[in-house]
Amino acid sequence: MPRVRAVQIEKTGGPEVLTVADVAAPEPGPGQVLVDVEAAGVNYIDTYRRGGVYPLQLPAVLGSEGAGRVAGFGAGVRGFELGQLVAWKEAPGSYAEQVLVPAAELVPVPEGVDAHTAAAVLLQGLTAHYLCTDTYPVTGGTWALVHAGAGGVGLLLTQMLKLRGAMVLTTTSTPEKAELSRRAGADEVVGYAEATARARELTGGRGVDVVYDSVGKDTFDASLQALRPRGLMVLFGGSSGQVPPFDVQRLNTAGSLFLTRPTLGSYTQTREELLARTEEVFGWIAAGDLDVRVGHTYRLEDVRRAHEDLEGRRTTGKLLLIP
Ligand code: NDP
């Protein structure tokens, strides 16, 4: 029976539970496409799954995002060819040489976008896209605060906000990260402790229209304080930990604020929606309007270091695993 190399966990825990194992090569069932993985995306959600925040059936091959070439089909799959370059944002087991992707999740990668860029942009790029087009439909003159401005989502979101004409204040933890965030188009970059005061100063005391907060536990309170009356708090991650239970009366006293906790799945509910968002993001890349920064590529064997670096705040942009 053919075997493939894959990053497996037998129990949840820290990066030490990640091991590279030889596992049975996957066989495509109905509606599934077998893909030879060229690059797998490393995402924060992989660390939540590894740690048990989001439960998995064990043992499990980790990973969810990637790009590669079509190597086989199950029954009923139409519209893909052997050898075609494809990408996906959600296929369990993507940290491997081969993975099965539901055909409905697979998107074709157009000319002008290479496999590494496609793997790097799908999950974070579609996230940045829905955050600025639909969660808060940003227009010229919108003031947005983006935490972790030099991160994977942060760099993409900043560029997309600028494409839509917004004014952008970001936070980062080091001068090097601040410089990267500025190069992505941020109008102002500050440390986390200064974010609220600077948001008020820049908006004549009023507060920003929208805060995009993926840091969570450590930034949540300050984010609420940075908003204008009836502003929108978008809590979309918990890189510093999950936000504890919340008293909704705080929205009232802080100025009739709105709060949402979105996920990408709710913004790619149909195949049409997935393809429309992907097409726009790939279009910006091909046109040179969106720079996808791959901060670091790791071999499959170095997966522990990839997770340690991500959780240890040592990374910028996107991390990729190369099987
Ligand atoms: P990032 O590249 O943004 O990495 C996390 C960054 O957060 C760090 O580099 C660091 O930047 C900052 N940070 C601040 N405090 C901490 C802390 N205590 N520990 C670790 N990092 C900290 O990651 P991603 O772009 O992959 O993901 C960003 C967030 O977006 C994650 O929380 C993820 O879960 C979420 N997400 C949500 C989605 C959704 O649809 N809801 C989809 C995709 C991602 P600095 O050093 O500058 O502070």
Side-chain angles (χ1 to χ4, degrees):
M1 193 193 254
R3 316 280 294 173
V4 292
R5 283 158 54 250
V7 175
Q8 193 166 256
I9 60 168
E10 294 188 344
K11 57 177 187 198
T12 55
E16 70 284 354
V17 302
L18 299 164
T19 53
V20 178
D22 270 331
V23 301
E27 295 260 350
Q32 290 181 322
V33 178
L34 177 68
V35 185
D36 288 333
V37 179
E38 292 197 6
V42 178
N43 290 294
Y44 238 91
I45 195 161
D46 306 333
T47 69
Y48 304 149
R49 288 182 175 136
R50 186 208 71 218
V53 178
Y54 295 157
L56 282 180
Q57 211 183 330
L58 301 172
V61 177
L62 223 58
S64 56
E65 177 189 40
R69 304 258 166 205
V70 173
F73 314 99
V77 174
R78 305 263 176 285
F80 294 101
E81 291 169 19
L82 285 177
Q84 184 180 355
L85 185 59
V86 288
W88 60 94
K89 63 174 177 54
E90 188 55 70
S94 293
Y95 284 6
E97 288 175 314
Q98 288 194 317
V99 66
L100 295 175
V101 186
E105 268 289 335
L106 208 56
V107 297
V109 178
E111 289 285 314
V113 180
D114 61 55
H116 284 203
T117 305
V121 80
L122 216 62
L123 194 146
Q124 295 175 342
L126 295 182
T127 299
H129 186 273
Y130 83 70
L131 288 174
C132 68
T133 57
D134 291 290
T135 307
Y136 189 97
V138 168
T139 55
T142 297
W143 259 108
L145 166 58
V146 177
H147 285 302
V153 177
L155 288 173
L156 295 168
L157 179 57
T158 301
Q159 293 177 75
M160 290 184 200
L161 287 166
K162 293 310 293 179
L163 285 173
R164 293 177 75 86
M167 300 294 289
V168 185
L169 167 65
T170 66
T171 53
T172 62
S173 66
T174 68
E176 295 74 27
K177 289 186 175 189
E179 181 51 29
L180 270 182
S181 178
R182 254 181 233 110
R183 273 196 258 142
D187 296 281
E188 283 268 335
V189 186
V190 292
Y192 289 89
E194 298 107 76
T196 307
R198 196 68 190 124
R200 297 251 163 235
E201 275 164 23
L202 290 167
T203 55
R206 200 160 170 262
V208 294
D209 301 293
V210 57
V211 179
Y212 294 108
D213 188 342
S214 64
V215 173
K217 187 163 72 61
D218 291 356
T219 45
F220 185 76
D221 289 336
S223 294
L224 289 179
Q225 288 163 23
L227 281 163
R228 66 160 165 81
R230 302 194 324 235
L232 177 65
M233 168 71 189
V234 184
L235 175 69
F236 71 100
S239 302
S240 67
Q242 304 304 321
V243 173
F246 176 74
D247 174 6
V248 290
Q249 283 304 328
R250 291 179 61 192
L251 298 175
N252 157 2
T253 50
S256 305
L257 300 181
F258 294 85
L259 166 66
T260 183
R261 175 56 177 94
T263 65
L264 178 55
S266 318
Y267 287 87
T268 48
Q269 290 189 65
T270 63
R271 176 124 184 103
E272 290 68 34
E273 195 175 25
L274 172 66
L275 290 178
R277 290 193 196 284
T278 308
E279 211 172 291
E280 191 160 21
V281 170
F282 281 155
W284 285 329
I285 295 169
D289 290 333
L290 185 67
D291 176 44
V292 181
R293 179 184 164 84
V294 176
H296 204 83
T297 56
Y298 300 82
R299 296 175 315 139
L300 213 57
E301 288 70 20
D302 296 326
V303 61
R304 285 185 198 175
R305 195 153 54 80
H307 276 220
E308 283 161 4
D309 287 349
L310 184 60
E311 293 176 294
R313 301 173 78 161
R314 290 188 286 277
T315 66
T316 57
K318 183 72 187 185
L319 309 185
L320 293 178
L321 275 186
I322 311 300

